[in-house]
Amino acid sequence: MNIKNIFGFFKKAKNKITSGGILREFIYLDDVSVHSLLASTRGPVAFEYLDTLSNTSHSEVEGGINLTTGLASAETKARRFDTLSHGTQVTRKSIIQALFKQLYDQEKESLIISPIQGALQLAGEQMSLQDMQRDITKLEAAGWVIDPSRLQRGQLIEVEIQLEADMVFRISTVISVFREIIEENIGLFGHSDSLDITAMKSIDKVLEKILVGLIPIRGLAVDYRIITINNKEWIVHQKCLARLSENVPSMPLYIVGVTEQRLYWKDIRRLLFAKSRYSVFCRLSLSDLRNTWSPIKIVNLLDSVVPGLTQEMHLSQPEELAKMMRPIKSMSMPDVDDTDQIDQLQMKKILQIYADLIAKEFQIELSQLDRENIEMLSERNCSFCSSVDVRRIAFNSILSYLSEHHTFKPDPNITSEMRNNAIIKAKIDQLTKNQLDQNVSSTLYEDERFLDTEFIAIYW
């Protein structure tokens, strides 16, 4: 082998070493957990490397003097030694990313949940729930189905999630920002009934004290959902669910835990509010799946000391905190601008209410035929809704019909008041309907399951 081949061999070896491994960009990394887990299996972990470079040189100078006087002679010799030592001490800190790679390479074969590589190999294009039940052992061995009872505290997992801060932290951030804006621009806002500023300040202080630099994370698992087979819940990969020939009800799986704000490597405002996808390396804090999760751990302590305190402060129900940020409008009278903003669907409802109010005021008994004709007139004239003057055309069509088919003398002052009352009642009914729909949708939420974990690393 010539010199050229030798250098080529070492160059290839060097490139092979430096280019190995998975390319990761961290946004969160807990160095204490990484050191602890490595030390528990390997013993002491080198935190600093000390390289010493030394160079020692020796020099020697020898000389002599010879004196002769008659019969006597004398000789004197002198020798001088000089030693020069030069040392260079280089300290290099171990990079935490390298230690994480060691930990990951060491534990990747024992992860209880890990990304599945390759395509799903199943007989046939589709399978039924019964087929999945029959092949559950095989699917579990391949990692496509996971038995939650096998998930034990302390095991490591790697899952791709849709990263998002829990609602408690989102509300805390919004309240804090609003409070600062209002305090810095108090002249601009003045006294506002739409926001309870005093309540905002109080909640901001409470949440700040309770969170103490911690950020609760609620990440939706991208590749897994929960289904029930024979009254038992299973964690199933999305590719498996896609192969099912029938529509099987499923529940989302959330990876939850508490992170430290100081350990984030980038601005949290860009990371925790965009619902971007990241991989997480976690250690299970609790065994099995959980039906509920409390992002504020001190809630249980507060309830044990003062029962009902967290419920009164809405700490156990973040949705109630969010309602404090919504504008509070009076339901008795709509604003003038709201009155002018009427679409055709609203106008149709307003005309029918107007007919009922006129009938009640002048003691008119409307027959079924009257109601059908009023509905037809409302449908025909609901396009006259752009302004006050245009809407009078629609109102007069209803009033003309009633005066033609029933004996009464319309009073202009009363009919004008009935027009305003009809608009107000229609808007109140719509507002009430929206609130009821919102309450119903909040109660009929989708069931969720949680894996309570300790986040070690978040990366992509």
Side-chain angles (χ1 to χ4, degrees), residues 114-334:
S114 61
I116 299 178
Q117 305 296 333
L120 180 60
Q121 301 295 330
L122 290 174
E125 292 296 327
Q126 292 184 330
M127 62 178 176
S128 64
L129 188 61
Q130 187 176 2
D131 295 333
M132 178 181 288
Q133 179 182 347
R134 184 189 63 234
D135 299 331
I136 196 74
T137 303
K138 185 194 303 182
L139 293 172
E140 186 179 2
W144 299 106
V145 176
I146 300 170
D147 184 357
S149 62
R150 292 180 53 239
L151 302 178
Q152 300 299 318
R153 182 175 185 268
Q155 293 177 323
L156 296 172
I157 64 173
E158 183 186 18
V159 185
E160 184 180 3
I161 66 169
Q162 181 176 291
L163 184 63
E164 185 179 18
D166 190 80
M167 183 180 290
V168 170
F169 182 77
R170 299 203 305 269
I171 294 173
S172 174
T173 303
V174 171
I175 292 178
S176 178
V177 171
F178 267 93
R179 180 182 60 81
E180 292 176 2
I181 293 175
I182 293 173
E183 289 179 348
E184 294 174 2
N185 303 274
I186 191 66
L188 178 62
F189 288 91
H191 179 71
S192 176
D193 294 331
S194 61
L195 291 175
D196 191 344
I197 300 176
T198 305
M200 287 173 55
K201 291 182 179 180
S202 301
I203 294 171
D204 185 28
K205 292 180 180 179
V206 170
L207 291 178
E208 183 180 355
K209 291 293 183 181
I210 290 179
L211 291 175
V212 207
L214 300 178
I215 301 178
I217 296 297
R218 175 190 177 101
L220 174 65
V222 175
D223 295 326
Y224 296 94
R225 287 186 70 88
I226 310 296
I227 67 171
T228 302
I229 303 177
N230 284 345
N231 298 323
K232 177 179 174 60
E233 293 183 349
W234 295 81
I235 303 174
V236 182
H237 199 279
Q238 293 275 25
K239 290 184 178 179
C240 244
L241 293 176
R243 292 293 186 94
L244 290 174
S245 58
E246 51 195 297
N247 186 16
V248 178
S250 62
M251 295 175 288
L253 173 64
Y254 287 93
I255 310 300
V256 295
V258 178
T259 58
E260 296 185 45
Q261 186 169 348
R262 64 179 182 84
L263 295 179
Y264 281 90
W265 290 15
K266 293 185 178 181
D267 186 5
I268 60 174
R269 290 169 293 186
R270 292 186 298 160
L271 302 174
L272 302 180
F273 302 100
K275 295 186 178 181
S276 300
R277 292 187 177 185
Y278 293 96
S279 294
V280 293
F281 191 81
C282 310
R283 197 177 191 197
L284 295 178
S285 298
L286 298 175
S287 303
D288 211 334
L289 293 173
R290 300 288 160 171
N291 298 334
T292 58
W293 178 66
S294 175
I296 306 178
K297 302 304 181 183
I298 201 173
V299 165
N300 297 331
L301 176 61
L302 292 176
D303 274 337
S304 64
V305 177
V306 184
L309 176 62
T310 57
Q311 185 175 2
E312 181 70 22
M313 299 170 64
H314 305 302
L315 295 178
S316 59
Q317 299 173 330
E319 296 83 0
E320 296 297 326
L321 288 176
K323 290 181 180 179
M324 296 186 180
M325 302 300 298
R326 299 173 187 165
I328 303 173
K329 290 190 175 182
S330 175
M331 294 182 58
S332 59
M333 287 287 292

Side-chain angles (χ1 to χ4, degrees), residues 59-79:
S59 62
E60 180 178 346
V61 179
E62 183 176 352
I65 300 175
N66 189 4
L67 299 175
T68 302
T69 57
L71 299 176
S73 63
E75 183 178 359
T76 301
K77 291 184 177 181
R79 180 177 295 179

